[in-house]
């Protein structure tokens, strides 16, 4: 799937032609430089490696890799499959997207830290606060049977680290493309915090 790397700027809302208020996310999408061209003969598949957002402190390896494309080292690099023919060093802008089409956006969700079962899995707690219950309102309850199976089954929903994982939101409508500012406005929410990198695929 073709696409671009972008940075989530934040959320806002706009009114459509019927006066309906639509929540939307503003993304700085591109410009992305083609830093490597993958070919079937050399790599076993066809793809383009795109780089986004200039890096300040650079290793010699990253500097040499970027120099081949006639650019500087990038902070975020990802591969996309394009139908169009791009060459090493070409720049792909937000004009790759058209207003009204649908895109998939992948990113890393906000980290929530170590959370209990009520927040993490939607458990209801142990029932009432009466009948001898003592600070058990948000407890997980039983996690197994008895001396058989004498173990806790894999996948048992428990408290633990929540968030900070890759999430893809599919079929978000492109409401607006602003080429002069490299902005893409999509309907709905996108995973990640403000300034987080996102992959926009179409």
């Amino acid at each position: 799937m073709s696409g671009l790397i972008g940075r989530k700027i934040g959320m806002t809302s706009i009114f459509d032609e019927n006066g309906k208020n639509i929540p939307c996310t503003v993304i700085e999408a591109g410009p992305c430089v083609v830093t490597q061209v993958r070919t079937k003969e050399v790599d076993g598949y066809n793809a383009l490696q795109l780089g986004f957002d200039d890096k300040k402190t650079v290793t010699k390896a990253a500097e040499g890799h970027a120099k081949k494309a006639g650019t500087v080292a990038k902070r975020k690099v990802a591969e996309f499959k394009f139908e169009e023919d791009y060459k090493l060093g070409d720049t792909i802008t937000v004009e790759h997207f058209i207003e009204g089409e649908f895109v998939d956006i992948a990113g890393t969700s906000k980290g929530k830290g170590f959370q209990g079962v009520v927040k993490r899995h939607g458990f209801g707690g142990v029932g009432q606060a009466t009948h001898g219950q003592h600070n058990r309102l948000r407890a997980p309850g039983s996690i197994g049977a008895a001396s058989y199976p004498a173990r806790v089954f894999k996948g048992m929903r428990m408290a633990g680290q929540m968030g900070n994982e890759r999430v893809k939101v599919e079929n978000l409508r492109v409401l607006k493309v602003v080429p002069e500012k490299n902005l893409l406005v999509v309907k709905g929410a996108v995973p990640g915090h403000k300034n987080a990198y996102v992959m926009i695929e179409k």
Side-chain angles (χ1 to χ4, degrees), residues 59-103:
T59 62
K60 288 284 185 188
E63 188 182 6
H65 183 70
K67 199 179 270 187
K68 289 177 190 170
T71 183
V72 294
K74 303 294 180 183
R75 288 184 66 176
K76 189 70 180 173
V77 173
E79 286 187 4
F80 296 91
K81 294 191 175 181
F82 281 84
E83 298 293 323
E84 303 90 340
D85 223 14
Y86 288 104
K87 294 185 179 67
L88 195 63
D90 285 356
T91 301
I92 305 171
T93 65
V94 71
E95 291 175 283
H96 181 65
F97 299 104
I98 305 155
E99 287 181 17
E101 72 179 348
F102 290 86
V103 293

Side-chain angles (χ1 to χ4, degrees), residues 17-105:
E17 59 277 3
N18 301 319
K20 192 177 178 186
N21 193 11
I22 300 173
C24 55
T25 305
V26 182
I27 300 167
E28 182 191 344
C32 293
V33 180
V34 179
T35 51
Q36 192 174 0
V37 178
R38 303 281 195 185
T39 59
K40 190 94 173 171
E41 299 79 51
V42 179
D43 305 289
Y45 64 99
N46 292 318
L48 293 180
Q49 186 191 80
L50 303 184
F52 173 70
D53 201 8
D54 295 350
K55 217 176 190 181
K56 287 191 179 119
T57 53
V58 184
T59 62
K60 288 284 185 188
E63 188 182 6
H65 183 70
K67 199 179 270 187
K68 289 177 190 170
T71 183
V72 294
K74 303 294 180 183
R75 288 184 66 176
K76 189 70 180 173
V77 173
E79 286 187 4
F80 296 91
K81 294 191 175 181
F82 281 84
E83 298 293 323
E84 303 90 340
D85 223 14
Y86 288 104
K87 294 185 179 67
L88 195 63
D90 285 356
T91 301
I92 305 171
T93 65
V94 71
E95 291 175 283
H96 181 65
F97 299 104
I98 305 155
E99 287 181 17
E101 72 179 348
F102 290 86
V103 293
D104 300 344
I105 298 182

Side-chain angles (χ1 to χ4, degrees), residues 12-24 175-176:
T12 183
S13 61
I14 57 175
F15 290 94
D16 67 4
E17 59 277 3
N18 301 319
K20 192 177 178 186
N21 193 11
I22 300 173
C24 55
L175 299 176
K176 209 175 266 187

